[in-house]
PDB file of all heavy atoms in Angstrom:
ATOM      1  N   LEU A 272      13.299  -0.835 -10.782  1.00 94.00           N
ATOM      2  CA  LEU A 272      12.622  -0.598  -9.502  1.00 94.00           C
ATOM      3  C   LEU A 272      13.158  -1.465  -8.367  1.00 94.00           C
ATOM      4  O   LEU A 272      12.567  -1.500  -7.294  1.00 94.00           O
ATOM      5  CB  LEU A 272      11.111  -0.862  -9.661  1.00 94.00           C
ATOM      6  CG  LEU A 272      10.383   0.055 -10.641  1.00 94.00           C
ATOM      7  CD1 LEU A 272       8.967  -0.447 -10.871  1.00 94.00           C
ATOM      8  CD2 LEU A 272      10.370   1.480 -10.114  1.00 94.00           C
ATOM      9  N   SER A 273      14.249  -2.151  -8.603  1.00 83.00           N
ATOM     10  CA  SER A 273      14.754  -3.082  -7.593  1.00 83.00           C
ATOM     11  C   SER A 273      15.087  -2.397  -6.272  1.00 83.00           C
ATOM     12  O   SER A 273      15.040  -3.013  -5.213  1.00 83.00           O
ATOM     13  CB  SER A 273      15.995  -3.801  -8.125  1.00 83.00           C
ATOM     14  OG  SER A 273      17.005  -2.869  -8.481  1.00 83.00           O
ATOM     15  N   GLY A 274      15.375  -1.107  -6.318  1.00 87.00           N
ATOM     16  CA  GLY A 274      15.749  -0.400  -5.097  1.00 87.00           C
ATOM     17  C   GLY A 274      14.591   0.018  -4.208  1.00 87.00           C
ATOM     18  O   GLY A 274      14.809   0.435  -3.066  1.00 87.00           O
ATOM     19  N   ILE A 275      13.365  -0.101  -4.713  1.00 91.00           N
ATOM     20  CA  ILE A 275      12.230   0.349  -3.884  1.00 91.00           C
ATOM     21  C   ILE A 275      11.283  -0.793  -3.523  1.00 91.00           C
ATOM     22  O   ILE A 275      10.172  -0.554  -3.084  1.00 91.00           O
ATOM     23  CB  ILE A 275      11.440   1.485  -4.562  1.00 91.00           C
ATOM     24  CG1 ILE A 275      10.815   1.021  -5.876  1.00 91.00           C
ATOM     25  CG2 ILE A 275      12.312   2.696  -4.790  1.00 91.00           C
ATOM     26  CD1 ILE A 275       9.859   2.053  -6.452  1.00 91.00           C
ATOM     27  N   GLY A 276      11.723  -2.023  -3.678  1.00 93.00           N
ATOM     28  CA  GLY A 276      10.908  -3.159  -3.254  1.00 93.00           C
ATOM     29  C   GLY A 276       9.817  -3.499  -4.241  1.00 93.00           C
ATOM     30  O   GLY A 276       8.663  -3.109  -4.055  1.00 93.00           O
ATOM     31  N   ALA A 277      10.167  -4.230  -5.304  1.00 96.00           N
ATOM     32  CA  ALA A 277       9.206  -4.609  -6.329  1.00 96.00           C
ATOM     33  C   ALA A 277       9.193  -6.122  -6.509  1.00 96.00           C
ATOM     34  O   ALA A 277      10.209  -6.798  -6.322  1.00 96.00           O
ATOM     35  CB  ALA A 277       9.557  -3.935  -7.664  1.00 96.00           C
ATOM     36  N   VAL A 278       8.014  -6.658  -6.870  1.00 96.00           N
ATOM     37  CA  VAL A 278       7.871  -8.075  -7.195  1.00 96.00           C
ATOM     38  C   VAL A 278       7.124  -8.183  -8.519  1.00 96.00           C
ATOM     39  O   VAL A 278       6.461  -7.240  -8.956  1.00 96.00           O
ATOM     40  CB  VAL A 278       7.108  -8.851  -6.092  1.00 96.00           C
ATOM     41  CG1 VAL A 278       7.944  -8.937  -4.822  1.00 96.00           C
ATOM     42  CG2 VAL A 278       5.755  -8.201  -5.802  1.00 96.00           C
ATOM     43  N   GLN A 279       7.244  -9.364  -9.166  1.00 95.00           N
ATOM     44  CA  GLN A 279       6.606  -9.580 -10.457  1.00 95.00           C
ATOM     45  C   GLN A 279       5.556 -10.692 -10.367  1.00 95.00           C
ATOM     46  O   GLN A 279       5.741 -11.678  -9.653  1.00 95.00           O
ATOM     47  CB  GLN A 279       7.646  -9.991 -11.505  1.00 95.00           C
ATOM     48  CG  GLN A 279       8.730  -8.961 -11.748  1.00 95.00           C
ATOM     49  CD  GLN A 279       9.665  -9.375 -12.867  1.00 95.00           C
ATOM     50  OE1 GLN A 279       9.333  -9.259 -14.043  1.00 95.00           O
ATOM     51  NE2 GLN A 279      10.847  -9.856 -12.502  1.00 95.00           N
ATOM     52  N   TYR A 280       4.473 -10.509 -11.164  1.00 93.00           N
ATOM     53  CA  TYR A 280       3.391 -11.502 -11.210  1.00 93.00           C
ATOM     54  C   TYR A 280       2.886 -11.551 -12.646  1.00 93.00           C
ATOM     55  O   TYR A 280       2.111 -10.704 -13.071  1.00 93.00           O
ATOM     56  CB  TYR A 280       2.276 -11.096 -10.245  1.00 93.00           C
ATOM     57  CG  TYR A 280       1.197 -12.134 -10.051  1.00 93.00           C
ATOM     58  CD1 TYR A 280       1.225 -13.008  -8.974  1.00 93.00           C
ATOM     59  CD2 TYR A 280       0.126 -12.236 -10.937  1.00 93.00           C
ATOM     60  CE1 TYR A 280       0.232 -13.953  -8.767  1.00 93.00           C
ATOM     61  CE2 TYR A 280      -0.874 -13.177 -10.741  1.00 93.00           C
ATOM     62  CZ  TYR A 280      -0.810 -14.035  -9.661  1.00 93.00           C
ATOM     63  OH  TYR A 280      -1.793 -14.970  -9.462  1.00 93.00           O
ATOM     64  N   HIS A 281       3.377 -12.544 -13.394  1.00 92.00           N
ATOM     65  CA  HIS A 281       2.976 -12.672 -14.799  1.00 92.00           C
ATOM     66  C   HIS A 281       3.199 -14.109 -15.251  1.00 92.00           C
ATOM     67  O   HIS A 281       3.524 -14.987 -14.433  1.00 92.00           O
ATOM     68  CB  HIS A 281       3.753 -11.689 -15.685  1.00 92.00           C
ATOM     69  CG  HIS A 281       5.228 -11.705 -15.493  1.00 92.00           C
ATOM     70  ND1 HIS A 281       6.030 -12.772 -15.848  1.00 92.00           N
ATOM     71  CD2 HIS A 281       6.069 -10.770 -14.958  1.00 92.00           C
ATOM     72  CE1 HIS A 281       7.295 -12.510 -15.557  1.00 92.00           C
ATOM     73  NE2 HIS A 281       7.351 -11.310 -15.008  1.00 92.00           N
ATOM     74  N   GLY A 282       3.003 -14.355 -16.552  1.00 88.00           N
ATOM     75  CA  GLY A 282       3.040 -15.717 -17.068  1.00 88.00           C
ATOM     76  C   GLY A 282       4.344 -16.449 -16.879  1.00 88.00           C
ATOM     77  O   GLY A 282       4.373 -17.682 -16.849  1.00 88.00           O
TER      78      GLY A 282
END
Side-chain angles (χ1 to χ4, degrees):
L272 297 171
S273 58
I275 63 171
V278 291
Q279 299 184 78
Y280 188 97
H281 50 68

